[in-house]
Amino acid sequence: MNFHILTLFPEMVMNGLNTSIIGRAVNAGHLSIEAVNIRDYAFNKHQSVDDYPYGGGAGMLMQAEPVYLAHKAVAETIQSRMCDRAQGEVPEESQAAGEGENSPAGRRLRTVYLSPQGQVFNQKMAEELAQEEDLILLCGHYEGIDERVLEEIVTDYVSIGDYVLTGGELPAMVMVDAISRLVPGVLHNDVSAEFESFQDNLLEYPQYSRPEEWHGKKVPPVLLSGHHANIEKWRREQSIIRTYERRPDLLEKCELTEKEKKWFREWKEEKSQN
């Protein structure tokens, strides 16, 4: 998967993403991450990308043209790659069939604008975006970006929460991390992504490592039993309990079996009596 991050602070983005699991995945060729400096497309003496907003108001606004040109440069690179691939895969007689919407030249690229006004990012969205071959992330700054260029290039407006940050770089890094974990080959244990928090709308069960006893607290005996069916049952039950205690809103969306519903009712009744 290829990430293209349009930003005023490329060093900030790359320094944060070139380490740990994501950095190793890039080195292994499972991911490609580029940070495109929007200032490189500000063709003026001081490489200025901002100006005062029409109608007045506090702060400065990022201008449309540098953002548009940076996006266009990325789009042309992607489309060139896609055309080269198509020429190697499609017979010559079919190449002249036209420039449809899904052709390399006609396809609208998935472009996410990081904004507090967007839909809140979640695991389901990460799973959907992980299916893209190329994803462009646009990081705003100052008081935002000229609306006209957003209307022209943006396909998705995404927020990482109901609060305001200085720019879109940190949200972009959060999205890259969450999405990358779902790309095949990124995690050493590909199964682990399937059993982490928010899968099936349940939080992850408690985890324990050595030693068996620490500060007087012992590892639950079932985890030492070697009985895999019992361990999986315990983990599932603990996920339900943890979700109920910490994120009951998620539990309402979870599809429990009839057996699990019965066990959960009995567990709550027992807890209320204690």
Side-chain angles (χ1 to χ4, degrees), residues 44-62:
N44 55 67
K45 182 178 179 181
H46 301 291
Q47 288 190 303
S48 174
V49 298
D50 61 313
D51 207 336
Y52 294 103
Y54 282 116
M60 305 289 280
L61 198 67
M62 288 177 65

Side-chain angles (χ1 to χ4, degrees), residues 1 3 121 126 129-130 135 174-183:
M1 183 172 183
F3 294 95
F121 185 62
L129 292 173
L135 183 64
V174 167
M175 289 188 64
V176 170
D177 190 294
I179 295 167
S180 295
R181 297 174 62 83
L182 302 169
V183 175

Side-chain angles (χ1 to χ4, degrees), residues 107-256:
R107 182 173 181 258
R108 191 177 186 195
L109 293 168
R110 197 75 180 267
T111 301
V112 174
Y113 176 44
L114 288 310
S115 166
Q117 299 180 13
Q119 182 180 352
V120 177
F121 185 62
N122 57 27
Q123 188 68 15
K124 183 177 180 181
M125 191 185 301
E127 292 170 0
E128 193 246 321
L129 292 173
Q131 305 305 311
E132 298 288 334
E133 180 178 358
D134 291 275
L135 183 64
I136 300 177
L137 300 171
L138 173 59
C139 303
H141 211 69
Y142 307 117
E143 294 302 313
I145 299 176
D146 190 308
E147 185 69 21
R148 292 168 295 185
V149 70
L150 299 179
E151 292 173 351
E152 192 152 332
I153 67 173
V154 171
T155 58
D156 303 82
Y157 293 79
V158 177
S159 165
I160 63 166
D162 295 333
Y163 47 87
V164 180
L165 297 173
T166 304
E169 285 74 20
L170 290 174
M173 293 162 65
V174 167
M175 289 188 64
V176 170
D177 190 294
I179 295 167
S180 295
R181 297 174 62 83
L182 302 169
V183 175
V186 170
L187 297 181
H188 289 301
N189 179 8
D190 289 340
V191 178
S192 65
E194 300 176 13
F195 296 98
E196 293 182 330
S197 292
F198 303 114
Q199 297 293 336
D200 298 326
N201 288 305
L202 288 177
L203 301 183
E204 191 176 20
Y205 46 80
Q207 299 267 31
Y208 302 87
S209 185
R210 289 183 288 184
E212 290 184 19
E213 183 172 341
W214 179 81
H215 285 198
K217 300 176 182 177
K218 296 182 179 181
V219 173
V222 65
L223 299 180
L224 306 174
S225 68
H227 195 298
H228 296 298
N230 287 348
I231 291 173
E232 290 305 313
K233 178 176 179 291
W234 179 88
R235 286 176 169 172
R236 175 74 175 182
E237 290 174 353
Q238 291 300 310
S239 288
I240 294 171
I241 292 171
R242 176 158 288 188
T243 306
Y244 170 73
E245 293 176 340
R246 300 182 182 182
R247 288 292 305 274
D249 57 305
L250 291 176
L251 192 59
E252 295 175 1
K253 307 172 187 176
C254 180
E255 295 183 5
L256 303 180

